[in-house]
Amino acid sequence: MKLRHLLFLVMALLFVSTLAGLAVLRYGKRWGPSSVVETVHTPEPAGPSDGMGAMEAQIPTALPHLVTATVTPTPSPTWTPSPPPSPTPTATRTLTPSPTPKPAVRLANAYLAKRNGDYREARSQFGAVVQASGKGEEAAEALYEAGVCAYLDGDYQTVRSVLAQFATDYPIDHRVPAAHFYLAEAYSSTGDYAFAVEHYRAYLSQQDTLADLVYTRIGNSLTSVADYEGAVGAYQRALEKAPDLGQQYDLQEKIALTYSAWGHYQDAIDWLQGIADRSENAYRLARIWYLQGEVYRLAGQEQQALTAFAQAVNGDPQSGYAHAALVALVDAGVQVNEYQRGLVNYYAGSYDAAVAALYRYMAATPGYNSDAHYYVALSYLNSGSFDLAVRECERALSAFPNTIPHWGDLWLTKARALSKLGHIDDAVRAFAEFASAQPEHPQAPQAQWEAGQLLEQADRFAQAADVYTALADEHTDANQAPAARFRAGICRYRGSDISGAKEAWRVLIASYPNYPESDRARYWLGKVLWSQGQVAEARDLLQLLAADHPRDYYGLRAAHMLASNGKTFLWPRPPAQLEMASDELAEEKQAEVWLRSWAAAAQGVALGEVSAELAGNAQFRRAVELLALGLRSQAQDELDSLRKAASQDPVQLYRLAILGRNLGLYALSVRAASDLISLAPETSVLDMPRLVQRLAFPIYFDDLVTTEATAYKLDPLLVFALIRQESVFDDQVSSWAGAVGLTQIMPSTGDWIASMVPYPDFRQDLLKRAYVNVKFGAWFLDRILQQTNGDVMTALAGYNGGPANGSKWMNAAQGDPDLFVEVITREEPQRYVREIYRQYDVYARLYAHP
């Protein structure tokens, strides 16, 4: 199947008119319509496994018995689009009305607004097309999209009227199945579950690629109205279609819980036992045993319930369900093994209860397990009782030989607790005592490393350098040895021992020539030599580093130092003019010629074709239909799984990069392009075709970025590099910490920014709308730049690690940007600054006006 033909099919399913191609002319690139009806995505989504699947990891206190809801049909009103606002004449002159935009232009504007999350503007533009286009294809497209945008905007009443009107007016339109799905979702969102089920079934009557997903939703809706028999049947239909083992277990659990709510307790227990008999996932098993206990209780079988709870407690102690089961047993007066009880409480964060249980265990058990001391000490450490943590470690270390499993952990915990108390010398002595007494212990290098870090953070640079050097001398094969050599050099440098710094870096380069730390040492050695007037040797070091690693941070810093004739380079100067437009057809031809020149799989193949294998792939077909329903995150997960499977297939990666770009799955596209780059023969991405560069370093959402960058006088390329690092241009992504959207704004930070901008009627969910998120991110970056007097590196460290930390690290570096990167004490912001520096350089070279 031709790639362009496949894209036509996909775009048809995505309800994109060919007339929307005018957006290409206006905005200089392709973009597919996108929606925000999706779940949080992770940077590298996991593939099918015996995991927890999509089941919510919430611990129920008891199984819910849902009350039957009474559903009263609500007639859907006829939708009448609001007219676009009319121009208001001024008092000083009479305006000549502007020509009314053509429907194709309005469609392009509407799709752009939709992609940016400005759903009200999109609805207005789509509504204007409906008014102007009669009953033709443009009107059908606009009417449908107006309904979708109403759904994305949370206006479910309008969804009902608009999409019902669409299905009535255009009964054979290819978008009708998806209209039924959106109607079902809208009815479900307002608790009208009977109507939701009706529309889910209407969807399935015409499209069954996602039968597992839709039958699951039907089951959920029927459960909500206490139609348990119907819900069980729907879940079983979903189970028959579920492609993933984790999803199958989730559905079996849903069936079990529905039987329980129905009062069919033995059926519920049998289904749960079926999962327990087959699953090997410790977390899932703890959940299943806990749920079995709850069902047994509902059935009045208390002894069986307590047995099931005991299984949960005696399984994986790290599971929250183990703790819920423990509470059930304790409340029932059941005697529980105190050691296991202590572990379960520790992992649940109930530190006082953990300490009490473990002390009872040690008092009552001759020859008790010495690990009990370790978990008591950790409980004290994690709860802030640092002095008690030290005492517990000393008690165990004096009572047990050095052969016990947690001997090294106890020493490290003692030293860490001492450092938390502010007793730096005592902490360093504890680390050193352990390392010298047990030099062959696998944790001895870690003890020396942490001692060095404590001394370095206390500005005791000579002592820190000595500890780092001892680590590297005594443990040459340890993972920490190369980094210790480098840190020894940095500490000598900061302590004005320049000759000692150079010696440390020379030893590192000779001992570990192929390690990343050696590249750092080469740069620093070149920097110091140049400052001392040894320019020839410095140039040789820096030129070799720049040639070997042209796109890595230290290779770039070397090139920039050479270009500035040895002066400290702060940040690349923004290009005077940017060139963001491109001739995509010409660039695609150039990229295909390049790919055929080195990829064997590209020989004799039309690169514009999708292979029969891919076109027939079940994940690919699911992704296409998920996109048609606006479920972008799930679609991206499916295609990302294909990307991982094609990690060594340059042709497939190229096709996925193009496909992801055209469908608005930008993170997929960037990752596929980056994987392709890693396989290419060139050392630098800048030596590859322009299309490949643009796929890996794109400028998506350029209308928003350029507008906000202009408003705050920011370099737009810096904002693009920041977005690429923060979210890979996925406007729906949320981090593990809760940061949201393209520029990764924390919800609480969003509240504060909204009060400062100001932004009336702000809601935290608006952070997933690109036009709000980019505005807030630009404002926040500008504010930090103002606080740092325009120092980009400090501002970036502050953006990631907190503005106060950024300023603290720069003060410690005394204004030296190279030293600033090295004194950042947290790995994430340090990596963040280096990565954005590297990415910015590519952006500047790629988009600078020739």
Side-chain angles (χ1 to χ4, degrees):
M1 183 186 298
K2 290 284 187 183
L3 179 57
R4 63 180 62 90
H5 293 166
L6 176 67
L7 289 177
F8 177 80
L9 171 61
V10 173
M11 299 305 269
L13 287 169
L14 287 168
F15 325 122
V16 178
S17 168
T18 54
L19 292 174
L22 288 179
V24 176
L25 301 178
R26 180 169 182 178
Y27 300 106
K29 66 174 181 294
R30 300 178 191 172
W31 51 269
S34 61
S35 75
V36 295
V37 187
E38 59 177 327
T39 56
V40 171
H41 111 110
T42 56
E44 293 290 343
S49 65
D50 178 11
M52 286 308 294
M55 183 65 67
E56 293 180 350
Q58 296 179 350
I59 304 171
T61 55
L63 295 181
H65 280 254
L66 300 172
V67 178
T68 302
T70 302
V71 180
T72 303
T74 305
S76 298
T78 302
W79 177 68
T80 302
S82 301
S86 302
T88 302
T90 65
T92 57
R93 64 186 179 91
T94 301
L95 292 179
T96 301
S98 300
T100 302
K102 294 181 179 180
V105 175
R106 284 198 182 276
L107 281 173
N109 292 338
Y111 278 122
L112 184 66
K114 179 186 175 187
R115 183 207 64 173
N116 290 344
D118 191 351
Y119 302 125
R120 293 188 179 182
E121 173 63 19
R123 292 165 65 182
S124 175
Q125 295 284 352
F126 284 129
V129 173
V130 172
Q131 281 190 316
S133 302
K135 292 289 186 180
E137 168 56 28
E138 288 175 337
E141 177 180 359
L143 184 62
Y144 173 81
E145 288 292 349
V148 171
C149 288
Y151 176 80
L152 297 173
D153 209 22
D155 184 358
Y156 302 124
Q157 185 64 28
T158 298
V159 176
R160 297 178 185 184
S161 60
V162 174
L163 293 184
Q165 181 180 337
F166 169 79
T168 299
D169 291 350
Y170 305 98
I172 61 172
D173 191 285
H174 65 274
R175 293 170 280 244
V176 168
H180 282 297
F181 181 84
Y182 276 111
L183 282 165
E185 295 282 277
Y187 278 116
S188 179
S189 296
T190 56
D192 296 316
Y193 299 111
F195 285 118
V197 169
E198 177 184 338
H199 285 288
Y200 284 133
R201 286 176 174 157
Y203 168 82
L204 284 172
S205 70
Q206 301 176 65
Q207 171 61 262
D208 67 350
T209 302
L210 300 176
D212 56 308
L213 180 150
V214 180
Y215 274 120
T216 300
R217 281 166 158 78
I218 291 174
N220 294 343
S221 295
L222 292 173
T223 300
S224 296
V225 295
D227 182 357
Y228 301 123
E229 182 175 10
V232 166
Y235 290 140
Q236 288 177 328
R237 294 291 300 275
L239 181 59
E240 294 169 4
K241 301 288 186 178
D244 174 73
L245 182 59
Q247 185 185 1
Q248 291 168 17
Y249 285 149
D250 287 348
L251 285 164
Q252 291 171 34
E253 185 175 321
K254 280 180 175 289
I255 292 169
L257 297 183
T258 305
Y259 269 125
S260 177
W262 192 6
H264 293 206
Y265 301 122
Q266 190 56 52
D267 288 322
I269 290 166
D270 290 344
W271 277 92
L272 291 171
Q273 189 59 45
I275 301 171
D277 289 343
R278 291 187 297 275
S279 177
E280 297 179 357
N281 182 286
Y283 185 89
R284 183 184 291 278
L285 286 171
R287 175 185 174 94
I288 294 303
W289 287 326
Y290 171 75
L291 292 176
Q292 276 189 324
E294 287 286 298
V295 175
Y296 274 123
R297 274 195 163 170
L298 291 170
Q301 301 178 55
E302 182 66 9
Q303 189 54 52
Q304 291 90 330
L306 297 177
T307 300
F309 289 142
Q311 283 182 288
V313 169
N314 293 322
D316 178 11
Q318 300 184 52
S319 166
Y321 294 98
H323 187 257
L326 173 63
V327 171
L329 290 173
V330 172
D331 287 347
V334 176
Q335 186 68 33
V336 180
N337 178 280
E338 294 288 5
Y339 179 74
Q340 190 71 7
R341 181 174 179 174
L343 290 185
V344 170
N345 278 312
Y346 167 75
Y347 284 113
S350 298
Y351 299 121
D352 289 344
V355 168
L358 291 168
Y359 275 148
R360 288 194 299 269
Y361 161 73
M362 289 187 282
T365 311
Y368 60 82
N369 185 339
S370 62
D371 287 356
H373 287 292
Y374 175 58
Y375 286 106
V376 168
L378 284 182
S379 295
Y380 283 138
L381 183 67
N382 292 337
S383 62
S385 299
F386 305 127
D387 52 343
L388 295 178
V390 171
R391 187 184 69 182
E392 192 64 30
C393 290
E394 290 176 339
R395 177 185 173 190
L397 291 170
S398 63
F400 291 92
N402 59 19
T403 56
I404 61 173
H406 285 293
W407 177 263
D409 292 321
L410 286 162
W411 272 106
L412 294 178
T413 301
K414 173 186 173 181
R416 291 164 185 165
L418 287 166
S419 71
K420 291 289 187 182
L421 288 167
H423 301 165
I424 302 303
D425 288 329
D426 291 338
V428 169
R429 276 194 293 272
F431 282 129
E433 184 179 349
F434 165 58
S436 61
Q438 299 290 324
E440 301 303 317
H441 195 285
Q443 290 172 289
Q446 182 64 28
Q448 291 174 291
W449 175 258
E450 292 190 34
Q453 287 186 309
L454 283 177
L455 291 166
E456 183 178 0
Q457 290 166 18
D459 293 346
R460 294 158 65 173
F461 301 123
Q463 291 174 277
D466 289 344
V467 172
Y468 285 135
T469 301
L471 188 168
D473 287 344
E474 296 165 10
H475 304 281
T476 56
D477 295 331
N479 293 333
Q480 300 91 338
R485 289 280 184 207
F486 179 75
R487 296 312 307 177
I490 290 293
C491 287
R492 302 285 186 206
Y493 178 86
R494 296 182 72 186
S496 300
D497 180 3
I498 305 302
S499 61
K502 291 192 295 184
E503 175 63 20
W505 291 327
R506 290 187 191 280
V507 172
L508 169 57
I509 294 166
S511 302
Y512 305 95
N514 298 319
Y515 279 65
E517 288 81 1
S518 291
D519 298 332
R520 300 170 75 175
R522 287 187 180 93
Y523 175 74
W524 272 93
L525 184 57
K527 176 185 173 81
V528 170
L529 288 170
W530 203 314
S531 71
Q532 293 183 321
Q534 297 172 265
V535 176
E537 184 181 359
R539 281 188 180 277
D540 289 344
L541 275 168
L542 296 173
Q543 286 171 348
L544 184 61
L545 176 58
D548 288 347
H549 304 283
R551 305 304 336 140
D552 290 346
Y553 172 77
Y554 289 98
L556 282 174
R557 291 296 290 172
H560 291 159
M561 179 167 283
L562 290 165
S564 62
N565 199 30
K567 294 180 181 178
T568 299
F569 195 82
L570 298 176
W571 187 266
R573 180 174 297 177
Q577 289 182 295
L578 301 180
E579 179 56 68
M580 296 187 179
S582 64
D583 183 346
E584 287 188 0
L585 292 178
E587 289 181 359
E588 286 183 10
K589 290 180 181 178
Q590 179 192 30
E592 290 182 6
V593 170
W594 167 78
L595 193 58
R596 289 193 180 91
S597 72
W598 63 272
Q603 306 304 319
V605 192
L607 295 177
E609 293 182 354
V610 171
S611 66
E613 179 184 4
L614 179 59
N617 183 280
Q619 284 182 293
F620 185 83
R621 294 199 306 272
R622 285 179 66 86
V624 169
E625 184 60 19
L626 285 164
L627 281 169
L629 301 182
L631 302 174
R632 241 180 23 185
S633 179
Q634 293 93 318
Q636 186 155 256
D637 287 350
E638 297 285 355
L639 292 176
D640 209 60
S641 179
L642 295 178
R643 174 187 66 85
K644 292 176 182 177
S647 62
Q648 301 302 308
D649 184 345
V651 172
Q652 191 81 304
L653 291 171
Y654 174 78
R655 288 169 174 159
L656 287 172
I658 296 291
L659 190 66
R661 176 198 66 180
N662 293 345
L663 298 181
L665 301 178
Y666 299 140
L668 167 72
S669 178
V670 171
R671 291 188 180 116
S674 299
D675 290 347
L676 173 62
I677 288 167
S678 70
L679 300 178
E682 290 84 358
T683 303
S684 171
V685 63
L686 294 172
D687 295 329
M688 299 177 195
R690 183 173 172 82
L691 174 66
V692 176
Q693 297 178 46
R694 290 172 64 91
L695 288 170
F697 295 87
I699 52 171
Y700 303 128
F701 302 97
D702 59 309
D703 55 314
L704 299 178
V705 169
T706 54
T707 297
E708 299 303 335
T710 300
Y712 294 106
K713 296 182 174 60
L714 297 172
D715 177 358
L717 296 184
L718 175 61
V719 181
F720 283 123
L722 182 146
I723 290 174
R724 188 186 187 277
Q725 179 64 24
E726 288 283 1
S727 63
V728 202
F729 294 92
D730 184 347
D731 56 328
Q732 298 303 290
V733 69
S734 293
S735 73
W736 63 269
V740 176
L742 291 172
T743 63
Q744 289 290 276
I745 302 293
M746 290 293 291
S748 58
T749 304
D751 290 334
W752 173 69
I753 294 173
S755 70
M756 298 293 291
V757 171
Y759 196 96
D761 302 322
F762 173 74
R763 308 184 313 271
Q764 290 183 352
D765 64 287
L766 293 177
L767 290 175
K768 286 198 172 182
R769 302 194 183 189
Y771 79 105
V772 175
N773 192 281
V774 172
K775 178 183 291 292
F776 280 28
W779 183 92
F780 190 42
L781 178 60
D782 174 63
R783 183 177 179 89
I784 301 176
L785 280 166
Q786 291 180 35
Q787 294 173 347
T788 60
N789 297 317
D791 187 302
V792 177
M793 279 192 171
T794 307
L796 290 174
Y799 193 98
N800 180 265
N805 284 327
S807 298
K808 179 184 71 175
W809 294 322
M810 183 52 80
N811 289 336
Q814 299 181 338
D816 183 342
D818 291 316
L819 189 57
F820 169 74
V821 170
E822 309 303 349
V823 301
I824 295 176
T825 54
R826 287 162 48 192
E827 181 180 354
E828 183 182 351
Q830 184 186 72
R831 183 175 60 250
Y832 183 85
V833 171
R834 292 200 304 251
E835 278 299 296
I836 292 185
Y837 187 95
R838 182 183 69 82
Q839 293 177 39
Y840 179 86
D841 183 78
V842 177
Y843 273 105
R845 293 172 185 269
L846 180 55
Y847 295 102
H849 194 281

